[in-house]
Amino acid sequence: MKHDIKPTRAWAEEMDQRDGLARFREEFYLKKGSIYLDGNSLGLLSRRAENSLLEMLSSWRERGIDGWTDGKHPWFHLSEQLGAQLAPLVGATPKEVIATGSTTVNLHQLLATFYQPEGKRIKIVADALTFPSDIYAMKSHVKLHGLELAEGLIQVESKDGQVVEEEALIEAMTDEVAIIVLPSVLYRSGQILNMERLTKAAHERGILIGFDLCHSIGAIPHHLSEWGVDFAFWCNYKYVNAGPGSVGGLYVNQRHHGQFPGLAGWFGSAKDVQFDMDHTLQPASHAGAFQIGTPHVLSLAPLLGSLEIFHEAGIDELRKKSLLLTRYLMNLVDTQLADMDFSFGNPLEDTRRGGHICLIHKEAVRICKALKARGVIPDYRAPNVIRLAPMALYTSYIEVWEAVERLKAIMENKEYEGYKKERGVVA
Ligand SMILES: *Cc1c(COP(=O)(O)O)cnc(C)c1O
């Protein structure tokens, strides 16, 4: 089916009519009158995620300590079970994925395990636009190895401040580089990096490569195993809708299984010997080895319900709809908001664009406040970025139309002038 996108309200109505994913919208707690376009920061609660959390509470209430081994989802195996259920979203085998930790903690674990500076191969390569927490973690490990930051970490610059050129990343892959850590999708501009190409280039040069999937998991399909990516890590509270502070995930390619975890803890143990309480760790023979302590069971629970939805909807279908939603949104910006000083920070091509669009405007901070007051929930990133993320699972086409209508009114009436030009503490 070819979609000739028309920047009209009628097109949105027609698309909603024949949207095969529309039924999932009813599963989410949406606020009436409000258009939520911030699912790339915090996904909304679904009834299924709520139920799986409530079920977990009742297993605690009813079973006490026996919840570890009994019940529908015994807690002792929950991280492995959810790892297997996350695996299709990242294109990995079940044993390559574990639900554990958080983005930053998992990156610390993976660097502690795989960053082994030796001889002249001592550098970590990252990009200059990546999420700060990732850089903080990388700097920690450079310092822990007793290296100067300037000799241990290279951040590849962006020419325009929005996207990072893959050529520049490949150029930085010298024989002094031990490991590369990059985002799959850049959190501001939504640029997708070609993970397959970069992995191939890194491996040809004897370099390990890992990706931060925070802005791609649940938004775009991945084939990490096939591409041979060494490791990856992510959170599940953005596109995966598992709730604030929900447990994250990590992937380690099978060829590295058996590698001793850099940060060891008893939940990385092979399950059958964990309770032998021996002082010599016998790590699990799969990605589970990279767990540290007792799993945060209540923060894992919503993932059970949420992943059910992803498996029913299918990531390929979700991606198709997401691309149509963002393409439609860009068309509307071009036609409805022409001459209002907006520009796109995101790549325009489907193959290079993640799940959100990045609108640039010098009044971004005040426009975001005005949008919120009009019931459109955007995401502001200093100094001039408005991120808008229509979610394939719960945003309708007509909401995208309506959001742009409200934005247009804000611009025409200069409503943003009624707000202070400063960002909130969380933004
Ligand atoms: C959201 C996000 C994080 C957050 O890290 P946490 O440890 O989950 O707080 C890290 N990296 C990227 C790219 C993100 O988008």
Side-chain angles (χ1 to χ4, degrees):
M1 185 169 51
K2 194 168 175 308
H3 298 280
D4 290 320
I5 294 177
K6 296 192 193 79
T8 63
R9 187 186 166 94
W11 188 84
E13 280 169 352
E14 194 194 321
M15 289 303 286
D16 280 331
Q17 287 283 323
R18 56 177 210 220
D19 176 9
L21 296 171
R23 67 197 150 104
F24 293 106
R25 186 171 151 82
E26 293 159 21
E27 301 213 25
F28 286 84
Y29 285 97
L30 297 158
K31 222 161 110 191
K32 219 172 154 35
S34 173
I35 301 172
Y36 193 78
L37 299 179
D38 204 2
N40 61 336
S41 275
L42 180 71
L44 290 180
L45 175 65
S46 63
R47 286 181 177 77
R48 277 196 260 191
E50 178 182 49
N51 286 338
S52 58
L53 172 58
L54 293 175
E55 267 180 26
M56 204 57 84
L57 273 174
S58 74
S59 86
W60 175 25
R61 186 175 58 226
E62 280 155 34
R63 296 172 197 279
I65 188 75
D66 289 336
W68 284 105
T69 48
D70 299 347
K72 196 165 155 198
H73 303 290
W75 311 331
F76 193 53
H77 298 282
L78 188 57
S79 308
E80 285 76 10
Q81 180 196 334
L82 282 165
Q85 286 169 231
L86 281 163
L89 286 186
V90 298
T93 61
K95 292 211 177 301
E96 290 175 315
V97 180
I98 187 82
T100 192
S102 64
T103 316
T104 313
V105 169
N106 292 345
L107 175 54
H108 274 296
Q109 169 67 293
L110 293 162
L111 286 171
T113 305
F114 294 110
Y115 174 46
Q116 297 173 352
E118 220 182 282
K120 71 173 191 177
R121 260 195 208 279
I122 59 169
K123 294 186 195 299
I124 304 180
V125 165
D127 68 282
L129 299 181
T130 201
F131 199 84
S133 201
D134 296 33
I135 293 296
Y136 303 158
M138 290 182 236
K139 287 184 175 174
S140 306
H141 289 266
V142 168
K143 285 194 252 175
L144 283 168
H145 281 283
L147 297 166
E148 293 295 324
L149 288 180
E151 60 175 344
L153 179 66
I154 300 176
Q155 286 189 257
V156 175
E157 292 296 331
S158 153
K159 276 189 208 151
D160 63 357
Q162 305 298 340
V163 301
V164 180
E165 300 299 327
E166 278 145 17
E167 288 73 28
L169 292 167
I170 293 172
E171 233 169 78
M173 297 179 185
T174 67
D175 58 4
E176 296 185 345
V177 177
I179 199 167
I180 302 185
V181 182
L182 297 168
S184 48
V185 169
L186 274 67
Y187 77 101
R188 285 164 64 92
S189 67
Q191 176 196 6
I192 299 179
L193 287 175
N194 186 331
M195 289 174 261
E196 184 176 17
R197 177 183 176 199
L198 292 164
T199 301
K200 192 162 174 279
H203 288 172
E204 282 168 2
R205 292 159 179 79
I207 301 168
L208 292 175
I209 187 162
F211 290 96
D212 178 333
L213 308 185
C214 281
H215 278 273
S216 65
I217 186 162
I220 67 175
H222 305 72
H223 304 281
L224 298 187
S225 295
E226 192 188 314
W227 298 333
V229 172
D230 293 291
F231 61 87
F233 52 99
W234 59 88
C235 61
N236 288 312
Y237 50 79
K238 291 171 180 163
Y239 289 86
V240 183
N241 310 316
S246 56
V247 171
L250 66 77
Y251 148 93
V252 172
N253 188 285
Q254 181 175 295
R255 90 179 80 90
H256 298 300
H257 293 179
Q259 176 103 356
F260 202 84
L263 304 177
W266 76 315
F267 263 80
S269 189
K271 290 263 183 259
D272 53 334
V273 296
Q274 181 172 341
F275 277 85
D276 290 354
M277 305 308 239
D278 199 280
H279 279 193
T280 303
L281 170 68
Q282 247 180 270
S285 59
H286 48 79
F290 302 98
Q291 296 173 88
I292 301 176
T294 303
H296 302 179
V297 173
L298 297 180
S299 299
L300 278 166
L303 251 185
L304 284 164
S306 188
L307 288 176
E308 239 179 68
I309 298 179
F310 276 89
H311 294 144
E312 280 173 31
I315 190 66
D316 292 318
E317 287 307 305
L318 290 167
R319 174 61 172 160
K320 266 188 231 162
K321 179 177 173 187
S322 163
L323 282 171
L324 285 168
L325 286 166
T326 49
R327 169 71 58 197
Y328 177 55
L329 176 50
M330 292 193 297
N331 272 12
L332 292 177
V333 170
D334 277 338
T335 51
Q336 310 287 315
L337 308 178
D339 306 319
M340 289 179 178
D341 293 327
F342 286 102
S343 61
F344 294 116
N346 55 278
L348 303 179
E349 314 92 294
D350 283 3
T351 50
R352 293 180 67 220
R353 189 171 82 249
H356 70 266
I357 74 156
C358 166
L359 270 188
I360 297 179
H361 197 286
K362 61 180 190 309
E363 291 291 353
V365 68
R366 298 204 284 177
I367 293 170
C368 283
K369 288 178 184 176
L371 276 169
K372 258 193 161 160
R374 272 186 174 261
V376 178
I377 315 304
D379 190 86
Y380 171 67
R381 284 290 171 267
N384 58 359
V385 164
I386 306 169
R387 296 191 306 184
L388 299 173
M391 291 287 141
L393 278 174
Y394 53 79
T395 307
S396 62
Y397 291 89
I398 205 72
E399 281 183 306
V400 173
W401 167 266
E402 182 60 30
V404 175
E405 284 295 287
R406 293 185 200 177
L407 177 52
K408 189 175 169 184
I410 286 165
M411 300 312 292
E412 281 174 349
N413 308 331
K414 296 201 187 302
E415 278 172 34
Y416 57 87
E417 287 182 355
Y419 298 87
K420 280 211 178 114
K421 216 172 179 168
E422 60 190 25
R423 69 167 168 82
V425 176
V426 175

